[in-house]
Amino acid sequence: RAKKIPTTNFEFFAPEIEEQTTWRLHMIRRLRNDFMARKLELWFQPQVDLSSENVIGMEGLLRWPDGNGGYISPAEFVPLAEYSGLIVDIGYWVVEESCRRLQELAKLGYSKLRVAVNVSIPQFRDPQFVDSIKQLVTKAGISPNLLELEITESVVMDEPQIVIDALTDLKQHGFTIAIDDFGTGFSSMSYLQKLPLDRLKVDRSFVAEIRPGETAFIAETIVTLGTKLGLTTIAEGIEKREQASFMIKLGCDEAQGYLFGKPMPFTQLVEFLAERETA
Ligand code: C2E
Ligand code: MG
Ligand code: MG
Ligand code: MG
């Protein structure tokens, strides 16, 4: 439906477009350099069982130091990494780093905790993806069921067959699969049944709608759907006690959110675990 833009209009907008493009290319170059220099970090956010609040695992989340003591948000740089294709190599590093941390956790006695990593579409388009992921866990001596792969609805809708085939293979090999940010994309119900899913993550926008005395019927409907599909349901973005109690009442199994723990560097996670019960 895109209309052809008349040349005159295009020329009018050109300086701004050029500026954006230059900026993007600059950021991509910086990202590539920092990634090669091993400056990216993988932080971990705890996931808990809702009724016991025992830690059951964590999600690995990328952090890019800005050189001034702060961090550039993954919401900003992951799209650049996807656009440039860098996410393929960064994604392998994320899996490698997760395996290394899982080994360290096992040595500390936390042998049941799992790590979930986010996977985006360019990674699935890499024909070596499935084999490489299998090799990385084998090399690390990690049980594949401790590594969970998170995909969003848009990943499925972009390349349904490639994604279904890859995930089916990985699932047979023992990996677990989660559908992330559920409810924010447009997934077809038929794909939902074709995917070898273990876990459904209720997007935090629906959790945020929970107010005392009000019904949050989308959250409720999503939990019901997940449960009927035989999946473990996990609520994202739990910040308040009442949101946790509400999700328990809906029958939601697990949670991830600031109430239980923010994303943190690995050393901090180890301290966090030492102070808490784990499953
Ligand atoms: P996501 O996979 O949905 O990750 C959850 C995001 O929600 C994280 O943001 C986390 O910090 C945030 N969050 C968790 N609990 C709460 C809460 O209680 N309140 C609020 N306000 N936020 C909460 P983060 O770390 O900024 O990551 C943003 C997104 O970047 C991720 O969303 C994911 O889509 C992407 N991303 C991060 N790491 C990777 C990666 O290694 N690979 C890929 N492909 N994408 C990644
Ligand atoms: Mg995620
Ligand atoms: Mg999410
Ligand atoms: Mg989200």
Side-chain angles (χ1 to χ4, degrees):
R1 283 210 301 122
K3 277 191 194 135
K4 217 177 160 194
I5 303 161
T7 327
T8 44
N9 278 2
F10 183 78
E11 276 166 5
F12 179 72
F13 285 113
E16 200 182 305
I17 291 169
E18 203 177 283
E19 214 171 275
Q20 279 179 12
T21 308
T22 310
W23 175 250
R24 279 216 294 192
L25 292 177
H26 165 75
M27 291 303 277
I28 289 168
R29 202 172 308 121
R30 259 183 67 187
L31 179 61
R32 180 178 292 112
N33 287 340
D34 283 359
F35 170 60
M36 301 294 267
R38 305 197 150 268
K39 285 183 184 161
L40 292 192
E41 298 174 21
L42 193 65
W43 286 23
F44 296 91
Q45 184 177 29
Q47 298 178 329
V48 302
D49 173 80
L50 255 178
S51 45
S52 65
E53 294 192 9
N54 287 344
V55 179
I56 45 154
M58 40 268 151
E59 178 172 4
L61 294 157
L62 277 167
R63 291 293 180 267
W64 183 16
D66 67 5
N68 282 313
Y71 290 89
I72 301 165
S73 163
E76 240 174 273
F77 75 80
V78 167
L80 292 178
E82 292 174 345
Y83 168 79
S84 62
L86 265 177
I87 197 68
V88 176
D89 285 338
I90 293 177
Y92 287 135
W93 175 77
V94 166
V95 171
E96 232 181 304
E97 179 74 358
S98 300
C99 289
R100 195 166 72 88
R101 296 315 196 182
L102 281 165
Q103 285 175 322
E104 290 183 55
L105 287 172
K107 275 191 211 134
L108 293 167
Y110 307 109
S111 54
K112 285 180 185 157
L113 297 180
R114 60 182 161 72
V115 169
V117 298
N118 297 282
V119 184
S120 34
I121 199 68
Q123 297 175 263
F124 281 101
R125 291 205 181 104
D126 174 5
Q128 301 304 313
F129 179 68
V130 171
D131 285 341
S132 304
I133 298 291
K134 288 179 184 170
Q135 273 169 24
L136 287 175
V137 294
T138 306
K139 203 176 82 189
I142 294 297
S143 167
N145 58 35
L146 296 182
L147 197 71
E148 184 155 281
L149 307 170
E150 292 193 1
I151 51 147
T152 59
E153 289 161 282
S154 66
V155 167
V156 187
M157 297 314 285
D158 262 18
E159 291 282 13
Q161 210 48 55
I162 290 181
V163 172
I164 291 168
D165 290 348
L167 292 181
T168 304
D169 189 338
L170 289 165
K171 167 83 174 186
Q172 277 166 358
H173 202 257
F175 291 88
T176 65
I177 321 287
I179 189 142
D180 200 2
D181 302 343
F182 190 79
T184 56
F186 292 94
S187 59
S188 128
M189 291 294 147
S190 67
Y191 286 139
L192 208 52
Q193 272 189 312
K194 282 181 191 144
L195 287 166
L197 299 174
D198 296 283
R199 210 171 246 92
L200 185 152
K201 302 188 79 175
V202 182
D203 189 69
R204 76 178 149 90
S205 57
F206 306 117
V207 171
E209 281 173 6
I210 298 168
R211 304 263 185 289
E214 282 178 43
T215 53
F217 78 93
I218 298 186
E220 184 171 357
T221 305
I222 292 175
V223 171
T224 306
L225 175 69
T227 307
K228 291 205 168 166
L229 286 165
L231 309 176
T232 302
T233 50
I234 174 163
E236 300 190 272
I238 299 268
E239 294 180 357
K240 299 184 187 124
R241 204 23 80 188
E242 67 251 30
Q243 293 169 335
S245 346
F246 190 87
M247 292 309 289
I248 290 178
K249 264 189 255 161
L250 295 186
C252 188
D253 306 301
E254 301 169 348
Q256 178 181 341
Y258 294 172
L259 178 67
F260 306 106
K262 287 191 171 180
M264 56 189 104
F266 184 74
T267 46
Q268 212 177 307
L269 175 81
V270 172
E271 288 165 25
F272 177 93
L273 292 173
E275 287 164 13
R276 290 185 59 123
E277 289 287 314
T278 60

